[in-house]
Amino acid sequence: MPQNKLLEAMALGVACITTSQVAEALGLRDKKEVLIANDSEEFRSAISQLLMDDAMRKKLAEQGRNYIIENYNWKNQVKILTEEIHKLLKE
């Protein structure tokens, strides 16, 4: 699953580029947690931005890591799993 590799990279503090489809599925925002690109020209442009703009690269890396910490920590995941189990048991 490509989104797992994206989440791993974000957790490691790497500025990332992804497609709008993956970003939407994960709730990521363009120029907030990631850069979004959907074709080769957009990917080329996004790569150039990250290579040329240290501040943007650092900002995306930090905000991406913070997104993972806030949304994919064990406490939140256990809570979600527990809620789903309770829903299934009630059915």
Side-chain angles (χ1 to χ4, degrees), residues 21-58:
Q21 183 179 8
V22 171
E24 185 178 332
L26 297 175
L28 301 170
R29 300 167 297 172
D30 189 30
K31 296 182 180 78
K32 297 290 183 186
E33 296 89 16
V34 295
L35 290 181
I36 294 175
N38 291 302
D39 60 37
S40 59
E41 181 56 32
E42 289 177 358
F43 270 97
R44 186 207 58 78
S45 176
I47 291 167
S48 293
Q49 282 182 305
L50 291 180
L51 289 173
M52 303 301 272
D53 190 338
D54 289 340
M56 175 186 275
R57 186 175 59 251
K58 289 176 184 175

Side-chain angles (χ1 to χ4, degrees), residues 10 15 27 37 52-53 66 69 75 78:
M10 291 172 65
M52 303 301 272
D53 190 338
N66 289 340
I69 290 168
K75 185 178 179 181
V78 168

